[in-house]
Structures are given as C-alpha cells and as structure tokens.
C-alpha cells in the first residue's frame, strides 16, 4: 500500500508543479517588455506589507473593479501553496519540522518572486508571501494530522 501511495503522490506532485509553473510563469499577464529593466523592477515591486491586500479589500468593499479580480488574487495566492505544505514534507523528510518547513517555504517563495520579476512574468510582491505562507502552513498542518500520518502507515 505504501508504494501505491508514493506513486499517487509523485504523479499528483508532478501535475501540481506543472499547474504551478503555468500559473506563475506561463500564463499571460500583460506585463510590459518595452520598459528598461530597472524601471520595470521599480513599477513591478511592492515591499510594503498589506499594500496590495488592502487595495483588493477596498476594491471589494467599494466595488470599484470586477470582484473576480481581487477574489482570484487573494484566495488564489492563499490556496496556491497549500498543497506544498503536504508535498514538501512527504518528499523531503527534513522539512517535517515546522521551523525547517517555514524556512524552506520562505526561501522557495523568495526565489519564485525574484524569478517572476526577472523573467517579467509577474511582480515581486511581499503580499504574495503574506498570502502564500498561511496556505502552505495550513497544508503542513494537514500533513501533520494523525489521520494523514495513519493513512501513510
């Protein structure tokens, strides 16, 4: 049974990674390539915590933009890395401790944010960290439940 679970986890992880790469790097986002890189970096970076999150919540409250946009961005960023909280400790046993997992996720998210900025396939937004980390930690919490651990035994 354990071998079958590993195969299912491996296949689903590959599928998850493909979806993640598509969402983060391959989907069309309409970013400008005609700007000099430093200007692009300046215009596409947010280092102020909750700036984007507050903007989206304000847009929801005053209905200034299509509600689909802030909901997709807020909840999408939250849910996007929830599966990583399960996959990472399954495949890398050292990340089974919350501190090691958290540091690993911070490094991974930082690399992703920088790659999005450098490839001009997104922006560097500290609010993405703020939304991605709780999702990943909830996934990690699910991973650590007795139910999941017993399922794997």
């Amino acid at each position: 049974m354990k071998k079958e679970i590993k195969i299912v986890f491996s296949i689903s992880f590959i599928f998850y990674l493909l979806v993640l790469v598509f969402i983060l790097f391959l989907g069309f986002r309409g970013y400008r390539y005609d700007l000099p890189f430093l200007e692009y970096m300046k215009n596409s970076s947010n280092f102020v915590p909750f700036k984007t999150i507050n903007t989206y919540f304000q847009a929801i409250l005053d209905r200034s933009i299509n509600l689909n946009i802030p909901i997709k961005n807020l909840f999408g960023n939250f849910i996007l890395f929830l599966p990583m909280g399960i996959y990472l400790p399954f495949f890398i046993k050292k990340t089974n401790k919350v501190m090691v997992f958290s540091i690993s996720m911070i490094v991974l998210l930082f690399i992703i944010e920088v790659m999005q900025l450098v490839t001009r396939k997104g922006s560097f937004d500290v609010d993405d960290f703020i939304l991605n980390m709780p999702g990943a930690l909830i996934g990690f919490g699910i991973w650590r439940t007795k139910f999941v651990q017993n399922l794997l035994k």
Side-chain angles (χ1 to χ4, degrees):
M1 181 69 154
K2 193 170 185 177
K3 187 176 181 179
E4 290 85 4
I5 290 175
K6 189 159 185 140
I7 290 170
V8 169
F9 259 68
S10 297
I11 292 170
S12 65
F13 183 57
I14 290 168
F15 179 73
Y16 168 69
L17 287 178
L18 290 172
V19 169
L20 200 59
V21 167
F22 180 79
I23 290 170
L24 296 174
F25 298 105
L26 300 177
F28 177 73
R29 296 186 178 195
Y31 288 102
R32 297 189 53 187
Y33 291 94
D34 59 340
L35 292 175
F37 185 68
L38 290 177
E39 190 174 334
Y40 176 82
M41 281 179 50
K42 185 178 132 193
N43 294 335
S44 300
S45 299
N46 171 36
F47 299 102
V48 179
F50 299 101
K51 179 180 177 184
T52 307
I53 294 170
N54 286 336
T55 300
Y56 282 135
F57 276 119
Q58 187 61 43
I60 289 170
L61 293 174
D62 64 18
R63 299 179 187 265
S64 59
I65 61 174
N66 182 342
L67 287 180
N68 191 31
I69 295 168
I71 289 171
K72 188 167 86 173
N73 278 285
L74 293 171
F75 295 109
N77 269 316
F78 181 77
I79 292 176
L80 193 60
F81 283 90
L82 191 143
M84 194 63 77
I86 297 167
Y87 287 124
L88 200 61
F90 179 80
F91 289 110
I92 303 173
K93 300 298 180 208
K94 288 183 179 181
T95 60
N96 235 341
K97 296 191 182 330
V98 72
M99 186 58 85
V100 176
F101 174 80
S102 297
I103 291 169
S104 300
M105 282 305 304
I106 289 169
V107 169
L108 177 64
L109 292 171
F110 179 78
I111 290 169
I112 288 170
E113 290 295 314
V114 169
M115 284 178 56
Q116 283 183 319
L117 186 63
V118 169
T119 61
R120 297 187 186 206
K121 294 293 184 178
S123 61
F124 187 100
D125 193 343
V126 70
D127 288 348
D128 288 349
F129 279 100
I130 293 169
L131 293 167
N132 294 153
M133 274 306 290
L137 288 169
I138 288 171
F140 183 78
I142 292 169
W143 165 257
R144 295 292 301 249
T145 63
K146 287 190 186 289
F147 173 75
V148 172
Q149 294 305 309
N150 288 337
L151 186 67
L152 297 173
K153 289 182 182 178

